[in-house]
Amino acid sequence: MQLSASVASHLREQIVSGRLKTGEFLRIDAIASELGVSTTPVREGLLLLQSESFVRLLPRRGFVVNSFSQGDLRDIFWAQAVIAAELASRAAQKMGKEGVAHLQHLIAEHKAAYKARNDEQVARLGHEFHRAINLAAESPRLALLLGSLTKQLPNRFYASIEGQLEETFEYHPIILDAIRMKDSEAVRSLMYRHIMGGGDHLVDSLERSGAWGEPPASVAKSVAKSSAKPAVRSARGGAKAQPAKPAKAAKPTKPVKAPARSKAAAKPAAPKGRARA
């Protein structure tokens, strides 16, 4: 990871977790000193975050944290869920015995890392399970699009969500069973619910921690005054538009149950969990 991307990832996590509040100014010198880097990668990282609409540049005042609502977070998970579900459905038809065995091995290693309380390994192996499925779909551009969405929420961020991992350990074997049976529709439905469930967990966790607070009145006024002005030329046109859909994602129009021969059939409803590309 480039240094500027690393800085952006650090600040993005601070914003999503609520440690950096809406309307809070981000001083380049202070961030550079805290992270032990020069000001150049900090500025580049902030410009990257501006292109993702996490921060904005106020003329003559500096970078300020943009609002990040529950709806924004659910939008990210909805988009991830739709794309990941399609990739998983395609992978179910293309993955061979070696790929299935690899997923089984990753599940076992994931559980072992959790028991050993190795948070870094837990995050890596959970990510690798989904990455293996996405690559097996042989749809590189779709996988790249999913990757751009998951970058907005760092991998290690998910591993700390209360209740997340326990349900992930229930979901992954069920998804694997459906892939083994080559039941594309079951895999699609399971993966969609898996990821949307992760979004519910994260929203609940952040809400309990008080992540969504009101910005200071003076800063909110400054942001409002500059709302019609462009940010900076180097990031022109980079901000993402909100998708035309409700904040809370609807269930798939055609929900599909897991195959009768798989473990999924023994469960009336799949548990909730999280996925990453």
Side-chain angles (χ1 to χ4, degrees), residues 22-268:
T22 300
E24 186 171 343
F25 282 97
L26 303 174
R27 305 302 181 190
I28 293 178
D29 290 341
I31 295 171
S33 177
E34 176 190 352
L35 300 180
V37 298
S38 68
T39 58
T40 298
V42 174
R43 176 173 288 277
E44 291 173 349
L46 287 169
L47 290 174
L48 177 59
L49 291 178
Q50 182 180 242
S51 73
E52 298 172 356
S53 198
F54 279 102
V55 304
R56 68 174 304 150
L57 181 62
L58 299 183
R60 298 179 297 279
R61 299 200 65 182
F63 290 94
V64 65
V65 177
N66 261 344
S67 62
F68 189 80
S69 67
Q70 294 186 29
D72 294 328
L73 189 58
R74 291 186 187 279
D75 285 344
I76 292 173
F77 274 93
W78 176 84
Q80 286 186 30
V82 171
I83 297 174
E86 175 62 27
L87 287 169
S89 176
R90 297 181 186 186
Q93 291 301 316
K94 297 180 179 181
M95 186 175 289
K97 292 182 179 179
E98 290 185 1
V100 170
H102 179 57
L103 291 181
Q104 186 69 59
H105 177 68
L106 289 173
I107 289 174
E109 283 194 327
H110 196 197
K111 290 181 178 179
Y114 177 66
K115 291 181 180 179
R117 298 183 179 181
N118 188 332
D119 293 341
E120 184 178 346
Q121 283 288 86
V122 167
R124 183 186 67 79
L125 291 166
H127 167 80
E128 183 60 29
F129 177 86
H130 291 276
R131 181 174 182 273
I133 293 174
N134 295 337
L135 291 178
E138 298 179 3
S139 303
R141 291 194 178 276
L142 201 56
L144 185 63
L145 180 58
L146 179 58
S148 68
L149 290 168
T150 58
K151 284 180 182 178
Q152 298 189 33
L153 299 173
N155 291 330
R156 60 182 178 276
F157 194 56
Y158 299 103
S160 62
I161 302 174
E162 183 179 352
Q164 173 87 352
L165 287 172
E166 289 79 359
E167 293 186 2
T168 294
F169 292 139
E170 294 181 47
Y171 248 119
H172 284 188
I174 296 173
I175 291 172
L176 176 57
D177 281 346
I179 290 175
R180 185 181 287 113
M181 300 300 297
K182 295 191 178 298
D183 191 330
S184 297
E185 290 306 310
V187 174
R188 185 196 305 276
S189 180
L190 287 166
M191 185 63 77
Y192 180 90
R193 286 180 285 162
H194 177 33
I195 297 178
M196 288 303 296
D200 291 338
H201 269 289
L202 185 52
V203 167
D204 291 344
S205 176
L206 293 177
E207 192 171 32
R208 287 194 302 270
S209 69
W212 292 289
E214 294 296 327
S218 61
V219 175
K221 186 176 180 181
S222 297
V223 174
K225 285 183 178 180
S226 63
S227 60
K229 298 179 181 180
V232 290
R233 292 184 179 178
S234 60
R236 182 174 54 191
K240 295 182 180 178
Q242 289 294 327
K245 58 174 184 56
K248 291 187 177 181
K251 293 182 179 179
T253 55
K254 185 181 178 182
V256 182
K257 295 182 180 179
R261 288 175 290 178
S262 71
K263 295 182 180 179
K267 296 180 179 285

